[in-house]
C-alpha cells in the first residue's frame, strides 16, 4: 500500500469501494478497488476471480492493465489503470463529431485488444462500447473481464447467457452452447456499425425481439447461409418471418465499400465463416485512406465527467448475469 | 487452459530449478520435524485427501490437478506446521484449494458442500467440523500465496495430442492413453509440475509409457517419432528418471506411518 497514494472515493458497489489514486513511483493515475474480506460467504465472487485470473496474464496496450493485486489490512486491493471515459459516453455525446479516421482508429484498437485475447485463448464475451475504455492519451482499452472465459476448442458446452443483448450474436440468441471467437467478432461488428450510426445498430427489446431485429436488418438466414442453423436448440421451437436481405449500403450511406465489406464479414451469420480478429486486422479497410487517427488526436469527451467506476462495477454470477443485465433499462440519450 | 504458456505466469514465476525448489522448502519450519522423504510422503497424504474430496464432489480431473498445484505452490512459501496466529491447517487449505480451483476452472461447487464432505468424510484432524466462512477467509490467503496467479497449465492436452500423432490402433490407443493418463495424475503428488513445463512432462510420460507398453508400439518407429521433437533426449531422460523416483517414493509410502507424521506436524505448532 506504500506504493500508492489513495485520493477520492469515486464509486461504491456491494462488495467493493473504489478510490482514485496515484502510483507514487510513476506518478500515474490509478483506480484502487478495495474488496473487503468477509463481505461474502462464498469467498470472492466469480466475476472478480475471472477478472484477476485473466488480467494477471494479459498485458497489452489495448487491454486494461491490472497493475497490482495485494492484500492489505484484511482487504484485497486491485490496482487498475484509471481511465478517463468509455466509448459509450463518447458515442452518446452529440457535441463530439467523428470523422472516418476516428472510427477506424477505435475499431483498430478494439480489434488489436481482442486479437490479443483470442490468441491467448480467451473470449471476452461482453464487448460493448461501455466496456471499451478510453485513457487520457486517447488509447482504447478492453476492460471488464468479469464474463471472460478460457476457450480451448469447441469441446465443452458453455452458457449462452453472455454478452449484453444488443451485441449478442445469433448463435447465442438461439442458445447455442458451442461457440467461439465469433461471439466477440459479432459484438465488434455491432460496435463498428454503432460508431458509424451514432446509435445502437441492432437494438432489440427482448431476446426474441433481438433476433427479429437482426433478421429484419440483415435478412433471415437460410440453412444455406448458415449450415447447422436449423439444429440450434431454440431454432427448433421457433418460426421466423422471412425477411429479405437488404444491402448495408442503404443504411450506411456515408460508409466506403471497404468499410461495408468488413462490417458484412463481421456480421456474417455462420460463425465459421465470420471473419477472425486476425483477418479483420489484415482487411484492406485499415490500409486504405483515410488513415486511422492517432490516439492522442481522437475526439475527446470534454463535457462528460470521468467515469472510472464503470470498469469496476461488479456483476452477478455468469449464468444469471447477462439475463439480469439485459433486463436493466438503458438510458439512450 | 487459457493464455499462451510461453507468456504465462506459470512459465515466468512458477517454474523452478531443483536447487531453487529445495532452498524454498528448506526454509520452511517443518524442515526441523521432517526429513525430505517424509515431507514428500506428507505431500502424497494431502494430495490423497484432495483427490478423495474431489471424487466425493464428482470433479473433473483437470480441476483436481489445478487444486493440487495450488496446494503445492502455497506450501512452497508457507510452513506445513500451522502457525498459532492465523491457524490455517493444511486440511483447511486443501479444501480451499479445491473450492478455488472449481471457480477458476468454471465449474463452481457450493462452499457448503465442500465443508460438508470434509466433515462427513472425517478428513479433519483436530477439528470436528469446518465452517464455510473459514474456507472463504482462507481463500483470500490462498490467493495471496499464489500471488493472484490462477491459471494452471496441464499436460493432459499434450498427452492426448502426442498419442493421436502416434497413430496406434484404436484398442492400443485406449490402453496407452489410460496408462499415460495415470502417470500424469501421479505427477501431481510430487513437485514435478513446478519443475517442468507441461509439454515436457507429457513427453516424458509418453516415453515411459512406451517403455511399459512395447506391444502397442510394435508397428511404430518410436525412435523416429521421438526424434522429430526439438527437445534434448537427455532432458527427457532426466524427467523419466524423476518419474521413476516418484514411484520409488510412493512404494515406500505407508498410510499409517504418514498419519503419525501428520499428527507430529500438528503438535509441533509454533
Amino acid at each position: 500500500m506504500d506504493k500508492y497514494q489513495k485520493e477520492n472515493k469515486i464509486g461504491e458497489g456491494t462488495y467493493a469501494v473504489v478510490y482514485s489514486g496515484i502510483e507514487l513511483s510513476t506518478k500515474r493515475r490509478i483506480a484502487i478497488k478495495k474488496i473487503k474480506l468477509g463481505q461474502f460467504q462464498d469467498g470472492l465472487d466469480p466475476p472478480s476471480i475471472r477478472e484477476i485470473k485473466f488480467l494477471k496474464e494479459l498485458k497489452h496496450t489495448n487491454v486494461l492493465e491490472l497493475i497490482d493485486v495485494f492484500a492489505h489490512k484484511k482487504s484485497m486491493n486491485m490496482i487498475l489503470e484509471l481511465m478517463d471515459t468509455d466509448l459509450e459516453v463518447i458515442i452518446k455525446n452529440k457535441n463530439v463529431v467523428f470523422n472516418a479516421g476516428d472510427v477506424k482508429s477505435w475499431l483498430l484498437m478494439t480489434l488489436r485488444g481482442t486479437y490479443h485475447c483470442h490468441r491467448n485463448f480467451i473470449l471476452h464475451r461482453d464487448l460493448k462500447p461501455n466496456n471499451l475504455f478510453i485513457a487520457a492519451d486517447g488509447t482504447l482499452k478492453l476492460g471488464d473481464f468479469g464474463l471472460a472465459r478460457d476457450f480451448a476448442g469447441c469441446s465443452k458446452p458453455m452458457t449462452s447467457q453472455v454478452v449484453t443483448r444488443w451485441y449478442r450474436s445469433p448463435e447465442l440468441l438461439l442458445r447455442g452452447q458451442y461457440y467461439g471467437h465469433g461471439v466477440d467478432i459479432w459484438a465488434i461488428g455491432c460496435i463498428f456499425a454503432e460508431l458509424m450510426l451514432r446509435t445502437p445498430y441492432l437494438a432489440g427489446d427482448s431476446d426474441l425481439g433481438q433476433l427479429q431485429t437482426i433478421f429484419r436488418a440483415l435478412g433471415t438466414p437460410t440453412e444455406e447461409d448458415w449450415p447447422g442453423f436449423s439444429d440450434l436448440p431454440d431454432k427448433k421451437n421457433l418460426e421466423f418471418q422471412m425477411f429479405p436481405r437488404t444491402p448495408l449500403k442503404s443504411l450506411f450511406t456515408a460508409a466506403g465499400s471497404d468499410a461495408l465489406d468488413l462490417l458484412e464479414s463481421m456480421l456474417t451469420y455462420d460463425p465459421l465463416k465470420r471473419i477472425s480478429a486476425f483477418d479483420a486486422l489484415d482487411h484492406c479497410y485499415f490500409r486504405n485512406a483515410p488513415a486511422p487517427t492517432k490516439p492522442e488526436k481522437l475526439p475527446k469527451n470534454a463535457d462528460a465527467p470521468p467515469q472510472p467506476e464503470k470498469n469496476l462495477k461488479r456483476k452477478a454470477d455468469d449464468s444469471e448475469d447477462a439475463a439480469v443485465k439485459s433486463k436493466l433499462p438503458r438510458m439512450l440519450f | 487452459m487459457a493464455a499462451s504458456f510461453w507468456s504465462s505466469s506459470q512459465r515466468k514465476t512458477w517454474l523452478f530449478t531443483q536447487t531453487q525448489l529445495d532452498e524454498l522448502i528448506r526454509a520452511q519450519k517443518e524442515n526441523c520435524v521432517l526429513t525430505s522423504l517424509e515431507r514428500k510422503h506428507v505431500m502424497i497424504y494431502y494430495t490423497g485427501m484432495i483427490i478423495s474430496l474431489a471424487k466425493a464432489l464428482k470433479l473433473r480431473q483437470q480441476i483436481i490437478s489445478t487444486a493440487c498445484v495450488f496446494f503445492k505452490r502455497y506450501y512452497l512459501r508457507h510452513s506445513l506446521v500451522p502457525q498459532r496466529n492465523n491457524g490455517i491447517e493444511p486440511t483447511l487449505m486443501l479444501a480451499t484449494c479445491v473450492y478455488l480451483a472449481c471457480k477458476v476452472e468454471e465449474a463452481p461447487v457450493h462452499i457448503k458442500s465442500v465443508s460438508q464432505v470434509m466433515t462427513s468424510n472425517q478428513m479433519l484432524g483436530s477439528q470436528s467440523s469446518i465452517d464455510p466462512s473459514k474456507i472463504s477467509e482462507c481463500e483470500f490467503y490462498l490467493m495471496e500465496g499464489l500471488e493472484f496467479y490462477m491459471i494452471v497449465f496441464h499436460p493432459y492436452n499434450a498427452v492426448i495430442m502426442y498419442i493421436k500423432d502416434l497413430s496406434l490402433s484404436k484398442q492400443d490407443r485406449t490402453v496407452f492413453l489410460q496408462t499415460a493418463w495415470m502417470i500424469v495424475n501421479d505427477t501431481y503428488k510430487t513437485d514435478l509440475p513446478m519443475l517442468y513445463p507441461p509439454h515436457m512432462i507429457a513427453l516424458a510420460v509418453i516415453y515411459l509409457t512406451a517403455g511399459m507398453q512395447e506391444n502397442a508400439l510394435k508397428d511404430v518407429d518410436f525412435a523416429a517419432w521421438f526424434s522429430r521433437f526439438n527437445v534434448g533426449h537427455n532432458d527427457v531422460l532426466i524427467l523419466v528418471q524423476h518419474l521413476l523416483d516418484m514411484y520409488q517414493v510412493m512404494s515406500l509410502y505407508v498410510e499409517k506411518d504418514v498419519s503419525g507424521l501428520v499428527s507430529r506436524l500438528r503438535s509441533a505448532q509454533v
Side-chain angles (χ1 to χ4, degrees):
Chain A
M1 201 65 213
D2 302 339
K3 289 190 285 180
Y4 310 98
Q5 164 103 44
K6 196 155 76 182
E7 287 176 346
N8 307 320
K9 187 158 137 182
I10 48 178
E12 184 159 8
T14 326
Y15 309 111
V17 187
V18 186
Y19 301 91
S20 66
I22 288 176
E23 186 180 24
L24 294 174
S25 58
T26 58
K27 299 275 178 244
R28 74 169 151 174
R29 296 174 64 216
I30 49 161
I32 305 171
K33 175 177 168 181
K34 194 170 173 173
I35 303 167
K36 279 179 223 127
L37 180 56
Q39 286 274 316
F40 18 16
Q41 295 176 329
D42 298 335
L44 201 56
D45 58 312
S48 296
I49 295 222
R50 288 186 203 112
E51 188 136 38
I52 295 174
K53 159 173 126 177
F54 291 121
L55 289 182
K56 273 297 251 188
E57 306 279 339
L58 290 172
K59 291 275 179 280
H60 189 269
T61 337
N62 299 117
V63 175
L64 189 72
E65 189 185 349
L66 177 63
I67 300 164
D68 201 358
V69 189
F70 58 89
H72 178 69
K73 284 190 198 152
K74 291 236 161 198
S75 70
M76 186 152 95
N77 293 272
M78 285 170 73
I79 307 288
L80 295 143
E81 287 179 282
L82 186 66
M83 304 307 274
D84 271 12
T85 183
D86 63 61
L87 200 58
E88 189 185 11
V89 174
I90 297 193
I91 291 174
K92 282 183 195 165
N93 186 340
K94 295 289 175 188
N95 299 325
V96 180
V97 180
F98 306 171
N99 65 38
D102 303 339
V103 171
K104 194 174 286 188
S105 178
W106 281 316
L107 185 69
L108 183 62
M109 291 189 282
T110 308
L111 277 168
R112 280 185 180 149
T114 309
Y115 173 56
H116 185 68
C117 297
H118 287 180
R119 73 173 157 194
N120 282 299
F121 307 102
I122 294 167
L123 299 182
H124 185 285
R125 302 202 303 180
D126 198 13
L127 289 172
K128 55 177 173 177
N130 180 246
N131 282 339
L132 300 174
F133 297 99
I134 312 285
D137 66 356
T139 313
L140 178 148
K141 289 168 198 277
L142 268 60
D144 200 341
F145 280 69
L147 275 178
R149 183 68 202 261
D150 38 14
F151 168 77
C154 291
S155 51
K156 270 184 282 173
M158 300 185 274
T159 173
S160 54
Q161 289 296 308
V162 292
V163 190
T164 307
R165 191 197 300 126
W166 294 345
Y167 306 92
R168 206 181 293 158
S169 61
E171 68 266 28
L172 291 176
L173 289 162
L174 290 163
R175 293 203 289 129
Q177 291 193 306
Y178 299 89
Y179 53 85
H181 300 161
V183 300
D184 284 343
I185 299 295
W186 180 277
I188 296 174
C190 295
I191 295 165
F192 186 21
E194 187 168 337
L195 280 167
M196 295 194 279
L197 296 170
R198 296 297 292 267
T199 177
Y201 175 43
L202 301 165
D205 50 5
S206 63
D207 282 5
L208 208 55
Q210 183 65 32
L211 274 172
Q212 287 275 350
T213 314
I214 293 172
F215 294 163
R216 193 174 295 128
L218 299 165
T220 310
T222 59
E223 187 66 26
E224 202 173 295
D225 297 333
W226 182 0
F229 166 57
S230 324
D231 299 330
L232 282 165
D234 265 11
K235 172 67 175 85
K236 297 192 185 101
N237 320 324
L238 298 170
E239 272 303 317
F240 292 107
Q241 196 184 336
M242 291 306 286
F243 292 104
R245 192 171 176 84
T246 43
L248 289 171
K249 187 79 195 163
S250 57
L251 182 61
F252 301 88
T253 44
S257 58
D258 52 351
L260 291 183
D261 184 71
L262 179 58
L263 180 61
E264 196 167 343
S265 50
M266 286 175 165
L267 298 178
T268 300
Y269 280 118
D270 184 352
L272 297 175
K273 288 191 205 118
R274 206 173 293 155
I275 198 164
S276 68
F278 181 81
D279 290 337
L281 284 167
D282 199 31
H283 196 272
C284 64
Y285 169 68
F286 292 110
R287 291 193 299 270
N288 292 348
T293 315
K294 289 201 169 65
E296 61 274 14
K297 298 236 170 80
L298 282 167
K300 293 247 161 54
N301 186 57
D303 311 328
Q307 304 194 328
E309 71 273 25
K310 279 199 171 166
N311 60 354
L312 303 157
K313 66 171 195 286
R314 340 195 92 249
K315 281 180 296 192
D317 189 59
D318 185 0
S319 49
E320 298 162 12
D321 176 67
V324 171
K325 234 196 294 183
S326 54
K327 277 179 207 136
L328 290 173
R330 275 182 76 129
M331 296 299 292
L332 258 183
F333 299 109
Chain B
M1 209 206 300
S4 142
F5 174 75
W6 301 105
S7 59
S8 69
S9 56
Q10 180 164 350
R11 191 175 81 93
K12 286 179 184 154
T13 50
W14 287 108
L15 275 188
F16 302 91
T17 64
Q18 186 73 59
T19 326
Q20 285 170 326
L21 203 70
D22 289 346
E23 268 170 22
L24 282 168
I25 291 171
R26 216 175 295 133
Q28 297 309 328
K29 290 202 185 65
E30 69 258 21
N31 209 39
C32 330
V33 198
L34 298 178
T35 65
S36 147
L37 179 68
E38 282 172 339
R39 190 184 189 276
K40 283 178 182 160
H41 281 162
V42 169
M43 273 301 177
I44 295 177
Y45 176 83
Y46 284 127
T47 314
M49 283 178 75
I50 292 180
I51 294 168
S52 44
L53 169 62
K55 289 266 154 73
L57 293 165
K58 300 194 172 62
L59 302 179
R60 281 187 297 121
Q61 181 59 47
Q62 185 164 318
I63 304 174
I64 305 177
S65 304
T66 300
C68 292
V69 172
F70 284 174
F71 189 77
K72 303 234 157 53
R73 286 182 180 180
Y74 183 84
Y75 281 109
L76 213 48
R77 298 220 168 87
H78 295 83
S79 173
L80 281 164
V81 181
Q83 309 229 225
R84 259 208 192 102
N85 47 16
N86 69 12
I88 298 177
E89 284 229 14
T91 40
L92 172 61
M93 187 47 81
L94 71 88
T96 312
C97 288
V98 171
Y99 180 62
L100 183 64
C102 287
K103 284 204 231 175
V104 169
E105 300 285 351
E106 298 285 353
V109 291
H110 205 284
I111 197 160
K112 279 193 191 128
S113 31
V114 177
S115 72
Q116 258 162 20
V117 173
M118 288 297 284
T119 310
S120 61
N121 288 18
Q122 295 177 336
M123 293 190 192
L124 300 155
S126 44
Q127 307 133 294
S128 55
S129 72
I130 196 165
D131 190 51
S133 69
K134 284 268 173 222
I135 297 179
S136 72
E137 189 187 346
C138 184
E139 182 188 76
F140 179 80
Y141 294 110
L142 170 61
M143 283 197 277
E144 193 185 8
L146 298 172
E147 295 166 33
F148 299 96
Y149 291 115
M150 288 179 278
I151 294 183
V152 181
F153 289 81
H154 298 290
Y156 296 108
N157 281 353
V159 165
I160 294 171
M161 220 169 64
Y162 295 156
I163 292 179
K164 208 185 241 173
D165 193 58
L166 275 169
S167 43
L168 307 173
S169 73
K170 201 176 170 207
Q171 200 186 351
D172 286 342
R173 191 166 62 202
T174 321
V175 182
F176 199 93
L177 180 62
Q178 264 169 4
T179 314
W181 198 267
M182 300 269 278
I183 303 176
V184 176
N185 289 352
D186 285 338
T187 61
Y188 289 98
K189 295 176 181 159
T190 69
D191 294 329
L192 281 179
M194 293 189 293
L195 288 168
Y196 293 94
H199 64 273
M200 285 295 286
I201 295 180
L203 210 51
V205 166
I206 298 278
Y207 196 97
L208 185 59
T209 316
M212 292 157 73
Q213 308 232 334
E214 281 173 335
N215 258 341
L217 290 169
K218 53 190 180 299
D219 301 328
V220 181
D221 187 350
F222 187 72
W225 179 82
F226 195 79
S227 63
R228 284 180 17 227
F229 288 91
N230 193 15
V231 260
H233 192 226
N234 261 348
D235 296 340
V236 177
L237 283 187
I238 290 171
L239 230 167
V240 170
Q241 191 56 51
H242 270 299
L243 293 174
L244 295 174
D245 285 351
M246 165 179 97
Y247 286 112
Q248 179 80 27
V249 169
M250 272 153 58
S251 69
L252 296 170
Y253 178 88
V254 183
E255 177 92 28
K256 197 161 61 81
D257 297 354
V258 180
S259 315
L261 282 178
V262 170
S263 30
R264 200 160 82 202
L265 272 177
R266 268 194 200 111
S267 55
Q269 272 199 5
V270 276

